[in-house]
mmCIF file of all heavy atoms in Angstrom:
data_model
loop_
_atom_site.group_PDB
_atom_site.id
_atom_site.type_symbol
_atom_site.label_atom_id
_atom_site.label_comp_id
_atom_site.label_asym_id
_atom_site.label_seq_id
_atom_site.Cartn_x
_atom_site.Cartn_y
_atom_site.Cartn_z
ATOM 1 N N ARG A 425 107.623 79.551 86.856
ATOM 2 C CA ARG A 425 108.216 79.449 88.187
ATOM 3 C C ARG A 425 109.463 80.339 88.315
ATOM 4 O O ARG A 425 109.690 80.970 89.338
ATOM 5 C CB ARG A 425 108.577 78.011 88.511
ATOM 6 C CG ARG A 425 108.926 77.846 89.997
ATOM 7 C CD ARG A 425 109.943 76.768 90.267
ATOM 8 N NE ARG A 425 109.513 75.476 89.784
ATOM 9 C CZ ARG A 425 110.315 74.412 89.771
ATOM 10 N NH1 ARG A 425 111.564 74.504 90.211
ATOM 11 N NH2 ARG A 425 109.884 73.261 89.305
ATOM 12 N N VAL A 426 110.253 80.377 87.236
ATOM 13 C CA VAL A 426 111.465 81.205 87.264
ATOM 14 C C VAL A 426 111.097 82.672 87.478
ATOM 15 O O VAL A 426 111.688 83.372 88.312
ATOM 16 C CB VAL A 426 112.274 81.042 85.955
ATOM 17 C CG1 VAL A 426 113.416 82.055 85.891
ATOM 18 C CG2 VAL A 426 112.810 79.618 85.840
ATOM 19 N N LEU A 427 110.096 83.127 86.718
ATOM 20 C CA LEU A 427 109.680 84.531 86.841
ATOM 21 C C LEU A 427 109.141 84.808 88.238
ATOM 22 O O LEU A 427 109.459 85.833 88.846
ATOM 23 C CB LEU A 427 108.621 84.862 85.792
ATOM 24 C CG LEU A 427 109.119 85.003 84.355
ATOM 25 C CD1 LEU A 427 107.948 85.247 83.406
ATOM 26 C CD2 LEU A 427 110.137 86.139 84.232
ATOM 27 N N PHE A 428 108.333 83.898 88.763
ATOM 28 C CA PHE A 428 107.764 84.126 90.094
ATOM 29 C C PHE A 428 108.859 84.082 91.158
ATOM 30 O O PHE A 428 108.810 84.847 92.136
ATOM 31 C CB PHE A 428 106.680 83.093 90.394
ATOM 32 C CG PHE A 428 105.978 83.359 91.693
ATOM 33 C CD1 PHE A 428 105.239 84.515 91.875
ATOM 34 C CD2 PHE A 428 106.080 82.469 92.748
ATOM 35 C CE1 PHE A 428 104.613 84.786 93.077
ATOM 36 C CE2 PHE A 428 105.453 82.731 93.964
ATOM 37 C CZ PHE A 428 104.716 83.893 94.129
ATOM 38 N N SER A 429 109.846 83.213 90.938
ATOM 39 C CA SER A 429 110.938 83.098 91.913
ATOM 40 C C SER A 429 111.760 84.375 92.016
ATOM 41 O O SER A 429 112.455 84.596 93.001
ATOM 42 C CB SER A 429 111.863 81.938 91.532
ATOM 43 O OG SER A 429 111.168 80.713 91.579
ATOM 44 N N HIS A 430 111.713 85.193 90.962
ATOM 45 C CA HIS A 430 112.487 86.438 90.963
ATOM 46 C C HIS A 430 111.583 87.655 90.766
ATOM 47 O O HIS A 430 112.063 88.729 90.385
ATOM 48 C CB HIS A 430 113.544 86.383 89.857
ATOM 49 C CG HIS A 430 114.506 85.235 90.013
ATOM 50 N ND1 HIS A 430 115.515 85.234 90.952
ATOM 51 C CD2 HIS A 430 114.579 84.044 89.383
ATOM 52 C CE1 HIS A 430 116.171 84.085 90.878
ATOM 53 N NE2 HIS A 430 115.629 83.342 89.938
ATOM 54 N N SER A 431 110.291 87.484 91.004
ATOM 55 C CA SER A 431 109.336 88.551 90.681
ATOM 56 C C SER A 431 109.585 89.826 91.486
ATOM 57 O O SER A 431 109.407 90.940 90.968
ATOM 58 C CB SER A 431 107.900 88.068 90.892
ATOM 59 O OG SER A 431 107.757 87.519 92.188
ATOM 60 N N LEU A 432 110.017 89.662 92.726
ATOM 61 C CA LEU A 432 110.255 90.854 93.544
ATOM 62 C C LEU A 432 111.407 91.673 92.970
ATOM 63 O O LEU A 432 111.317 92.900 92.820
ATOM 64 C CB LEU A 432 110.567 90.430 94.990
ATOM 65 C CG LEU A 432 110.622 91.536 96.028
ATOM 66 C CD1 LEU A 432 109.313 92.299 96.095
ATOM 67 C CD2 LEU A 432 110.949 90.941 97.404
ATOM 68 N N LEU A 433 112.479 90.966 92.622
ATOM 69 C CA LEU A 433 113.637 91.652 92.054
ATOM 70 C C LEU A 433 113.291 92.275 90.692
ATOM 71 O O LEU A 433 113.714 93.396 90.383
ATOM 72 C CB LEU A 433 114.792 90.649 91.884
ATOM 73 C CG LEU A 433 116.211 91.202 91.920
ATOM 74 C CD1 LEU A 433 116.518 91.844 93.250
ATOM 75 C CD2 LEU A 433 117.218 90.094 91.637
ATOM 76 N N ILE A 434 112.520 91.560 89.901
ATOM 77 C CA ILE A 434 112.161 92.046 88.564
ATOM 78 C C ILE A 434 111.331 93.326 88.659
ATOM 79 O O ILE A 434 111.599 94.313 87.967
ATOM 80 C CB ILE A 434 111.376 90.958 87.787
ATOM 81 C CG1 ILE A 434 112.308 89.792 87.424
ATOM 82 C CG2 ILE A 434 110.744 91.537 86.523
ATOM 83 C CD1 ILE A 434 111.577 88.557 86.909
ATOM 84 N N VAL A 435 110.335 93.313 89.549
ATOM 85 C CA VAL A 435 109.466 94.493 89.654
ATOM 86 C C VAL A 435 110.221 95.675 90.251
ATOM 87 O O VAL A 435 110.151 96.798 89.742
ATOM 88 C CB VAL A 435 108.200 94.163 90.482
ATOM 89 C CG1 VAL A 435 107.426 95.429 90.807
ATOM 90 C CG2 VAL A 435 107.310 93.202 89.707
ATOM 91 N N MET A 436 110.974 95.419 91.328
ATOM 92 C CA MET A 436 111.736 96.520 91.929
ATOM 93 C C MET A 436 112.757 97.069 90.931
ATOM 94 O O MET A 436 112.969 98.282 90.831
ATOM 95 C CB MET A 436 112.461 96.053 93.199
ATOM 96 C CG MET A 436 111.547 95.516 94.281
ATOM 97 S SD MET A 436 110.360 96.717 94.893
ATOM 98 C CE MET A 436 111.318 97.530 96.146
ATOM 99 N N GLY A 437 113.375 96.162 90.187
ATOM 100 C CA GLY A 437 114.359 96.584 89.187
ATOM 101 C C GLY A 437 113.721 97.375 88.064
ATOM 102 O O GLY A 437 114.292 98.361 87.577
#
Side-chain angles (χ1 to χ4, degrees):
Chain A
R425 192 211 302 172
V426 171
L427 286 176
F428 185 63
S429 297
H430 301 285
S431 52
L432 189 58
L433 207 62
I434 290 168
V435 170
M436 301 299 274

